[in-house]
């Protein structure tokens, strides 16, 4: 819950900043000279990039949290089995051992989003945030491509694929 509150507060501060910077860009454009209009347009680009970045990150977090909730409902969330130092930090050797196990699981089932989710958690525990993010993006993509059961209990095909009774 604390992480969600921190994220919402940070996002709100960023939105306030984007509005403030955007208003300055509009004021520069309204001034009307060639140089102020050029600067005004340049200033407006920054909040636009920031809004896009914030939106993409919010989407990523929401999708990752949805996967976590689904995996939790299945009872498949990874258990925190990592050793800690006296200061509370994760022991590097412990994180490496768990990571090796998660990597093997993912290599054995490369199309299972659950394995990629657990691998992302292991990467994060090993303090490899870029790879953790890539693994989570892979889990999200695999989950989106996974056929969902229909109300009648049959598996539906992913969008764009035709299913045949023979499975071919």
């Amino acid at each position: 819950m604390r992480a969600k509150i921190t994220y919402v507060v940070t996002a709100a501060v960023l939105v306030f900043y984007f509005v403030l910077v955007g208003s300055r860009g509009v004021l520069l454009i309204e001034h009307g000279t060639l140089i102020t209009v050029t600067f005004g347009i340049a200033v407006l680009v920054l909040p636009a990039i920031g809004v896009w970045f914030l939106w993409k990150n919010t989407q990523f977090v929401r999708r990752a949290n949805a996967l976590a909730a689904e995996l939790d409902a299945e009872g498949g969330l990874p258990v925190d089995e990592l050793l800690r130092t006296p200061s509370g930090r994760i022991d590097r050797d412990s994180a490496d051992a768990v990571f090796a196990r998660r990597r093997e699981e993912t290599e054995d089932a490369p199309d299972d989003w659950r394995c990629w989710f657990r691998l992302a958690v292991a990467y994060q525990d090993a303090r490899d945030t870029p790879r953790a993010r890539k693994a989570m993006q892979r889990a999200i993509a695999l989950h989106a491509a996974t056929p969902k059961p229909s109300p009648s209990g049959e598996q539906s095909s992913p969008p764009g694929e035709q299913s045949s009774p023979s499975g071919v």
Side-chain angles (χ1 to χ4, degrees), residues 36-107:
T36 60
V37 170
T38 304
F39 281 144
I41 292 170
V43 167
L44 286 177
V45 168
L46 295 175
I49 292 169
V51 166
W52 173 83
F53 184 75
L54 182 62
W55 175 249
K56 295 304 277 183
N57 276 308
T58 302
Q59 284 182 317
F60 175 77
V61 168
R62 291 183 72 205
R63 290 175 181 155
N65 285 341
L67 291 187
E70 185 173 333
L71 202 53
D72 187 30
E74 295 175 358
L77 275 180
V79 178
D80 186 2
E81 55 191 311
L82 299 168
L83 300 175
R84 310 263 182 205
T85 63
S87 65
R89 296 190 83 172
I90 294 173
D91 179 62
R92 184 73 169 179
D93 293 333
S94 175
D96 289 343
V98 171
F99 170 76
R101 195 168 61 246
R102 299 291 185 218
R103 186 183 64 226
E104 288 174 17
E105 290 172 5
T106 306
E107 288 170 354

Side-chain angles (χ1 to χ4, degrees), residues 9-30:
V9 168
T10 303
V13 169
L14 281 172
V15 168
F16 174 75
Y17 173 75
F18 298 151
V19 169
L20 184 66
V21 170
S23 68
R24 297 299 177 194
V26 170
L27 287 174
L28 284 169
I29 291 171
E30 287 176 348

Side-chain angles (χ1 to χ4, degrees), residues 86-160:
S87 65
R89 296 190 83 172
I90 294 173
D91 179 62
R92 184 73 169 179
D93 293 333
S94 175
D96 289 343
V98 171
F99 170 76
R101 195 168 61 246
R102 299 291 185 218
R103 186 183 64 226
E104 288 174 17
E105 290 172 5
T106 306
E107 288 170 354
D108 291 342
D111 294 330
D112 186 359
W113 67 266
R114 294 161 188 86
C115 291
W116 282 97
F117 182 95
R118 289 187 283 265
L119 181 65
V121 172
Y123 270 128
Q124 188 63 38
D125 289 342
R127 298 186 200 127
D128 192 347
T129 304
R131 287 186 178 149
R133 190 171 181 86
K134 289 289 184 191
M136 188 60 73
Q137 288 170 342
R138 178 80 172 138
I140 291 167
L142 286 171
H143 183 266
T146 302
K148 307 292 183 254
S150 67
S152 63
E154 297 176 12
Q155 293 285 324
S156 63
S157 298

